Amino acid sequence: MIIIGLTGSIGMGKSTTSEMFKSLGVPVISADEIVHDLYSAEAAPLIEAAFPGTTSEGAVDRQALSAKLMAAPEGFARLEAIIHPLVRAREKQFVEEAADRGEPLVLLDIPLLFETGSTDRVDTVIVVSCAPEIQRQRVMARPDMTAEKFEAILSRQTPDAEKRARADYVIDTGQGLEAARTQVNDIVAELTAASKKG
C-alpha cells in the first residue's frame, strides 16, 4: 500500500483536491478534520489547561484560542505539542485499517506536512499549488480574513516554492477544476499501478 501525503499552503485548493481523491475511492483522512473532532473531545481539557479561558461547554472556542495565539504566537509550539501526537495516533490507526482491508492507496491530508517533519511517514508527497495572486484572492474572500491574519498564516508555512521543489507531484489548481481533476486521475492511476507491482 502506498501512503500519500497531500499538502499545500492556505488557499491553494487542497481540500477540494482531497475530495477528488476521495471520489476516486482513495481512503482520505484530514488532519484538519481530526483537529476539529479533537477540539470537542479529548484535546479540549488539555487545551483549557494550557490556555485558560479558551473552551466553553467542553469544547475549544476556536476564536478565543485564535485570538490568544495571535496575541502571543509563542503559544503555537505549546498547542502543537498537545495536538500533534493525538492527530498522529488517529492517522496511524486509519492507515493500519486501510492496510488490513488491502487498499492500494491511502491519503493523509496534512496542511503542515513539511513544517511538522511528517514526510518520513508517507511514501509520496503531493503539493497543491497555484499562482500567488490566485491564492491571495481566494484567501481574502474568506469570512473574517484580514491581510494581517493572512500574512501571519503564511509566515508559519513553508514557502510554496520550497514545497513544490520537495514534492513528488505538484497539482496546479489555478487552471480550474477540470484540469485539477485530470491531474488527480493521472496520479491515482500511476500510483495504483505502482502499488500493484509492489
Side-chain angles (χ1 to χ4, degrees):
M1 185 178 77
I2 293 174
I3 303 170
I4 303 165
L6 182 76
T7 194
S9 299
I10 183 171
M12 293 299 196
K14 187 180 54 56
S15 301
T16 305
T17 306
S18 166
E19 286 299 323
M20 291 177 185
F21 280 93
K22 204 183 277 185
S23 72
L24 292 174
V26 178
V28 171
I29 189 165
S30 156
D32 278 350
E33 284 173 19
I34 298 172
V35 170
H36 193 78
D37 189 44
L38 289 169
Y39 274 10
S40 56
E42 62 262 45
L46 303 174
I47 291 171
E48 178 60 36
F51 304 93
T54 55
T55 64
S56 78
E57 295 175 14
V60 173
D61 178 335
R62 294 177 84 106
Q63 282 188 316
L65 181 60
S66 176
K68 267 205 177 170
L69 293 172
M70 286 292 278
E74 63 276 9
F76 276 103
R78 235 177 341 165
L79 178 63
E80 286 163 2
I82 295 167
I83 289 292
H84 289 168
L86 297 172
V87 172
R88 286 183 179 211
R90 295 256 189 122
E91 286 170 347
K92 186 169 178 283
Q93 184 185 355
F94 185 82
V95 168
E96 285 168 359
E97 287 169 2
D100 289 345
R101 293 195 307 270
E103 300 282 358
L105 310 174
V106 65
L107 186 144
L108 306 182
D109 174 345
I110 307 176
L112 299 175
L113 181 78
F114 294 116
E115 294 84 347
T116 56
S118 297
T119 51
D120 57 348
R121 298 191 293 128
V122 300
D123 301 313
T124 191
V125 173
I126 301 174
V127 166
V128 180
S129 183
C130 67
E133 57 273 18
I134 297 174
Q135 176 193 24
R136 175 172 283 278
Q137 197 180 349
R138 288 174 180 169
V139 176
M140 293 310 293
R142 295 182 180 188
D144 302 328
M145 185 53 69
T146 63
E148 182 193 29
K149 203 168 171 184
F150 180 38
E151 292 308 324
I153 292 166
L154 282 183
S155 72
R156 292 194 310 275
Q157 296 186 338
T158 300
D160 181 55
E162 188 185 324
K163 285 180 178 161
R164 292 171 76 113
R166 294 172 66 185
D168 297 300
Y169 299 92
V170 176
I171 295 175
D172 183 352
T173 63
Q175 314 293 318
L177 287 173
E178 284 316 307
R181 193 171 278 114
T182 299
Q183 294 169 75
V184 170
N185 289 344
D186 291 348
I187 292 170
V188 168
E190 191 179 312
L191 291 178
T192 302
S195 152
K196 284 175 181 159
K197 281 181 191 155

